[in-house]
């Protein structure tokens, strides 16, 4: 039941995408927070230095669940990010480079426990753009981060969680220097980017700037993301662009924020932890993965709230198209075991249709289904 | 930030209970299943042999969150349990003793990473009673399991998840031989035990048979458990019994099964994983811990669905009474950080009252709040 | 399509009950309030003097819908009731006798438009008992009201909405003088009467004091009433009493107040008019009528919130047992017409099962299903 | 408390609109169906001939509630409409003219019980357009209906429930011959008319063709209607058109059908009567009336599901702007009486804010908030 050693000549991202749908990994910051290794609010990845074993364990779970890719766990790791969450204002004793390097080592180490698992270097928005709109400084920051990924020989790079196509274009442009495949995702919904650039234009500009894989991540739920991706696909089709699509959505249901600029961050339940009732079930993931695939999305993973069993559901749903199951299923076969003698109605539950059609209850009759985002 | 080494002369369970409320650990089987290390249905703990690092990591998380006790991860580890979940019928290559021993070693190892953390040997119902009502065989099984706990010098023993007071009395009687403190919990709700013995009688019989700590675990949610515990406390009071109370409830909301014999196992969403919308929030845990303490419960932990951040909420809520915080809070201070600049309405969210009073939405307007258990 | 004239030798209540289930009428005060003829709060029946045509129209609708009985519309018509709702404190220009007499005339007039429709004289609790516990004064008040019903030759008398069995016993005792059949209903739920007398004892005392028909009305919803009636029936059975059962429940869903003494009056939505989302559908009425009949209830009508189409649903559901349909169905055949060309999915809707199984939505995803009655 | 006699020289619609917001009447067909006087499905107004007193009573209730206008109760009264609802296929014994004339007489008779109450002749879509797109035949039908309204001297004409602007333009053109003020409403939502003509274009074409008052009625709920009206207003503004706006929305909540062509007709609960949980509360009406007024709507009434107490809520909400209360409020003062002694928490309920902010429960925790319109 131990996993095969990773080999030296594994396939690259573009080859994988040609063969069938690629499965991404899931939530890092918010899952680590629940486990005790990340701070709610800043969501920065100090844990790669402070608690590397806990981070490795989570990456391992995603890989065992079927993720083809492990992203370097260094989200929001750029200048200025590490101070804001600190109440005590204690001096920060680590550099962004040190964290990015540790993240690379961790991702490489775990990927080698598997077979053909890619490591993806992750870049995210920088404060020099957000606060100062300083393009040169932003470019320099991306440049510096990219150096680490080149040094550690990741398999491809992913720029994610961008709110502005303008900033993302700088980042893509920088990433080209790596000669690696380039993926990028924006955190946008139907309203488009935070400057009002439309979904369609964002899609086309991402592709034209040179990304091999474009799409969205975070902030919106399955249904909203699928609507946005359909518009992206139509826009690419219209322009004759063949760029692959990626989707790494939230693991929470939040239809009420579809038409806001910051998605689930607008919910009264964000960020501190009343999001449980919104968390997707694995069968909602099955349905999502199928719908995304049918829409033409070829890289399907998860963002905040998508945990290992959710990633496994993607890999199990798409097993026919991928011609492989998750690498380790001894403990979690497709749809699980159902022979528990103590359960009532077990017969009717022993089939996928039952679970897919189920409308799960919240157990909270005194709570509304949706939360008002006003006030 | 590393934890202090466990010392040799740590306090025992009874001393701890005298000082203030004790925090138990949380869900093992169902949390490991989501992480990929336990089979849904059988819920047996082979992982202690197959994937010990994953089990250790979860125990570590509970300890860091504030658990004073780590239970040996060997739930349902008794004769006959390991076959039923196996679809293929492959031969079982491990013995219950081997698993129980590994569970002891793991719990001891992690407990030593902390300070004053107790190890508790866990016993659960056996098939020889459930299927055959064979009291002698049941006694022999409990006896054999107890041997392991004596050999590995756990700090106390806990018999949990009992549906029949009759069976539990045998188990308590066996446990006395260990000379250790004895805790026991039944998985009962308002209807009493599965033979129809009332909640009140169960409480009194548990105490009279010799347990130092009695109460309930699993199957029912916070509100139902609190009602049952109130009846237990009143029954003990009436008899002049001073036995301590323990509560390790479900981490899911399921008021609709309050008046059933098997609680959440009756839900259409059980067992395979549509329980997410029912999972408790950490603030619901805060409220529960406070209510349980006010009711006189002095050992508060969690069963299925209670994850590390929930255990942390118990420890943080009861910090004043315990005169200590969770041992490691660098990443998860009480109620978290709330200074995220990107969030709307952040001012009004920066206080505990906001979160306690919140009625979290499920994000699922097409699902009912409760599920019918008929049909 | 005009209705047959009432005949002189119509069957009495006891004969009707022997033949099959009797259908009562529905909500008066609260339906008249919506139409503009009754004050929310006092709920007193001045309208019989001020707006007799509006009252007649509502009685006519109940009769056309299938009600076998028209109750004299004089609820809460006793000394002291008429002052409390008046903000301006203007002098009251009518006597309780004048109102009771007008109510009798109205009920008789409409009943004669139908065939075999009984008129029932209604008595309700008096302030001399509620405020002063003055038994003699209460007796005198009931006596005086009964005089009117005797003078106007109603077909039977009904004492309803009693919270105290003690007061009701006085009323039943008074009613015996009329030599008419006697019905009585208490407004109680699982907690029993407002002095803590159990449901079972109330049932037996009502029957033993001399009522021919006993049961409950108002304050609780279908499910709660059915539970209470089952306990009443079991109590009567145990004592070998053959008294008939009557149920005139609320027309609103309110499971959250089952365990309160004043039922829906405890809801945050009472009394002024946010009860619409709780109102029962006609198919919920079908299911209720069937369940009540199966339980042995033989007089089924409605209280607050039960409108003409709901009464019609009772009569249509029990048509086989009653061997008759509602007297006028040209405009409202059983389950209505379903051939509307403009509707989608009309095929699947054209059968009773579809409607009975439907879980109707509230259209309010931002509202909870249940309301907290705390605070 | 009797109402003043209608005078001869009452103000016309346009004068009323100049003075302040006009209140329309409410639901006819669907309210009469519940009362037993209209067939679900066909929704045709035979009752004006068969049961005129019941129809008069409902009109009287709207007038007492504050309606400034009584519409002739002849919805869907045109050739071919009367057959389709008949299961038995019995011959129809009345002509559309006979019904339209009876409707005029009824509306006039009741309007004279009030003061300054206008009678409005109502036209609705015809089958000759819907089935055959026969413009000439449609024109002839409208012409023939208009003759009746001219003969009976109604105060203005209203073409309502139009799905196609093309058909409505014919109708408006016909109505001009009457020299009366012309109002018209389409049953459209965000998708525009059933040929795909946009909301904006519909608004402008209605105004340009010659209507004095334009807007929407039926099919969508308050929130959806307000969004559509805002677009209409903006479109008129853009063209410099000063035409008044009218809104007569549904009395049910149904946000889930906002983006369908037939609105609530797409709900699984339509048409037969599981709509109760969706019915608006009077406080939801208060909020709607205020929002509509603030948006610039100057004629506010109701369509299906809007009952007398809802119309009263419009008139009471807009009393300051109208400088008058509903004409008869002895039984239903603004916001009702609240001094019921038996109620808990009555203090906190005795103010409008409490009711406006309330999120009313459905009492149905086993039902979803919204219904899927698929399948």
């Amino acid at each position: 039941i131990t996993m095969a050693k990773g080999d030296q000549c594994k396939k690259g991202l573009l080859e994988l995408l040609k063969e069938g749908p690629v499965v991404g990994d899931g939530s890092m910051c918010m899952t680590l927070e629940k486990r005790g290794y990340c701070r709610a609010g800043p969501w920065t990845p100090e844990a790669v230095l402070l608690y590397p074993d806990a981070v490795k364990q989570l990456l391992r779970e995603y890989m065992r669940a079927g993720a083809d890719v492990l992203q370097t766990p260094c989200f929001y790791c750029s200048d200025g990010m590490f101070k804001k969450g600190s109440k005590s204002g204690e001096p920060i004793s680590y550099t962004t480079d040190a964290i990015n390097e540790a993240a690379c080592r961790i991702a490489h180490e775990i990927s080698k426990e598997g077979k053909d698992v890619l490591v993806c270097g992750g870049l995210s928005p920088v404060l020099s753009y957000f606060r100062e709109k300083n393009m040169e400084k932003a470019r320099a920051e991306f440049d510096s981060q990219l150096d680490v990924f080149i040094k550690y020989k990741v398999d491809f790079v992913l720029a994610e969680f961008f709110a502005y196509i303008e900033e993302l274009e700088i980042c893509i442009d920088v990433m080209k220097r790596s000669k690696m495949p380039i993926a990028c995702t924006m955190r946008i919904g139907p309203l488009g980017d935070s400057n009002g650039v439309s979904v369609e234009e964002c899609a086309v500009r991402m592709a034209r700037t040179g990304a091999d894989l474009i799409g969205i991540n975070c902030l919106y739920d399955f249904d909203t993301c699928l609507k946005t991706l359909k518009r992206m696909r139509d826009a690419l089709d219209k322009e004759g662009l063949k760029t692959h699509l990626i989707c790494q959505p939230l693991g929470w249901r939040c239809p009420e924020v579809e038409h806001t600029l910051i998605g689930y961050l607008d919910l009264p339940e964000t960020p501190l932890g009343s999001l449980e009732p919104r968390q997707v079930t694995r069968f909602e993931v099955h349905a999502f993965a199928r719908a995304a695939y049918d829409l033409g999305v070829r890289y399907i993973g998860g963002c905040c709230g998508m945990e290992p069993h959710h990633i496994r559901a993607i890999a199990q749903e798409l097993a026919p198209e991928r011609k492989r199951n998750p690498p380790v299923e001894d403990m979690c076969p497709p749809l699980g075991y159902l022979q528990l003698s103590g359960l009532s109605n077990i017969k009717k539950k022993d089939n996928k249709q039952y679970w897919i059609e189920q409308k799960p209850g919240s157990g909270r009759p005194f709570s509304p289904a949706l939360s008002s985002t006003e006030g």
Side-chain angles (χ1 to χ4, degrees), chain A residues 93-146:
Chain A
S93 57
Y94 29 78
T95 64
T96 58
D97 270 10
I99 289 181
N100 283 333
E101 297 198 355
C104 287
R105 284 192 301 267
I106 285 173
H108 272 302
E109 177 185 333
I110 301 302
S111 79
K112 280 174 191 146
E113 294 180 10
K115 185 169 166 346
D116 274 346
V117 175
L118 303 182
V119 168
C120 150
L123 295 107
S124 34
V126 291
L127 291 175
S128 48
Y129 177 85
F130 183 69
R131 294 204 185 135
E132 312 165 36
K133 305 291 170 201
N134 185 330
M135 312 293 175
E136 282 320 295
K137 207 163 153 193
R139 177 177 293 271
E141 284 199 63
F142 293 135
D143 226 54
S144 155
Q145 288 174 49
L146 188 69

Side-chain angles (χ1 to χ4, degrees), chain A residues 15-308:
Chain A
E15 286 164 286
L16 271 187
L17 284 167
K18 250 181 239 159
E19 291 181 9
V22 171
V23 174
D25 58 8
S27 171
M28 290 305 299
C29 312
M30 294 197 75
T31 298
L32 287 175
E33 192 277 339
K34 295 207 282 182
R35 297 185 183 191
Y37 300 103
C38 184
R39 283 187 291 182
W43 306 116
T44 42
E46 303 87 315
V48 297
L49 291 177
L50 301 174
Y51 305 107
D53 287 349
V55 179
K56 287 179 195 171
Q57 174 61 26
L58 181 55
L59 284 186
R60 183 180 293 119
E61 292 168 20
Y62 286 126
M63 188 178 64
R64 286 167 44 95
D68 297 312
V69 175
L70 298 181
Q71 190 173 333
T72 54
C74 53
F75 179 71
Y76 260 173
C77 183
S78 57
D79 292 349
M81 289 296 190
F82 289 94
K83 274 181 220 138
K84 77 181 166 196
S86 157
K87 269 200 164 159
S88 53
E90 77 278 12
I92 305 295
S93 57
Y94 29 78
T95 64
T96 58
D97 270 10
I99 289 181
N100 283 333
E101 297 198 355
C104 287
R105 284 192 301 267
I106 285 173
H108 272 302
E109 177 185 333
I110 301 302
S111 79
K112 280 174 191 146
E113 294 180 10
K115 185 169 166 346
D116 274 346
V117 175
L118 303 182
V119 168
C120 150
L123 295 107
S124 34
V126 291
L127 291 175
S128 48
Y129 177 85
F130 183 69
R131 294 204 185 135
E132 312 165 36
K133 305 291 170 201
N134 185 330
M135 312 293 175
E136 282 320 295
K137 207 163 153 193
R139 177 177 293 271
E141 284 199 63
F142 293 135
D143 226 54
S144 155
Q145 288 174 49
L146 188 69
D147 283 343
V148 177
F149 298 134
I150 291 172
K151 172 177 166 193
Y152 279 85
K153 293 184 181 154
V154 301
D155 297 297
F156 69 97
V157 283
L158 164 65
E160 67 172 356
F161 199 70
F162 280 76
Y164 301 90
I165 182 66
E166 183 183 58
E167 182 185 9
L168 177 52
E169 284 174 328
I170 299 171
C171 187
I172 294 172
D173 198 53
V174 167
M175 293 194 293
K176 285 182 195 165
R177 173 168 63 87
S178 71
K179 311 287 186 203
M180 297 174 192
I182 293 172
C184 58
T185 54
M186 299 187 73
R187 60 166 185 72
I188 62 175
L191 298 185
D193 100 341
S194 291
N195 278 331
V197 179
S198 76
V199 166
E200 287 77 4
E201 183 177 336
C202 287
V204 170
R205 284 170 65 175
M206 284 191 273
R208 290 247 160 88
T209 310
D212 301 290
L213 184 62
I214 71 151
I216 50 181
N217 79 305
C218 208
L219 289 203
Y220 302 93
D221 70 9
F222 291 170
D223 290 345
T224 300
C225 284
L226 289 172
K227 290 181 205 168
T228 305
L229 278 161
K230 188 178 181 312
R231 289 173 55 188
M232 288 190 155
R233 191 201 61 186
D234 291 347
L236 293 180
D237 285 355
K238 207 172 152 190
E239 301 291 315
L241 293 162
K242 300 290 180 199
T243 322
H244 285 288
L245 287 174
I246 172 174
C247 183
Q248 308 217 83
L250 278 190
W252 295 292
R253 292 276 182 205
C254 48
E256 65 267 62
V257 294
E258 177 165 323
H259 297 287
T260 67
L261 271 179
I262 57 170
Y264 88 110
L265 300 180
D266 245 347
L267 290 175
E269 293 91 348
T270 302
L272 196 53
S274 297
L275 291 165
E276 276 89 348
R278 297 178 180 273
Q279 195 168 37
V280 294
T281 71
R282 60 189 86 190
F283 300 103
E284 290 172 336
V285 176
H286 274 274
F288 159 71
R290 179 56 49 199
Y293 180 78
D294 288 348
L295 198 63
V297 182
R298 285 297 173 268
Y299 187 117
I300 305 173
C303 201
C304 306
M306 288 286 277
E307 308 214 329

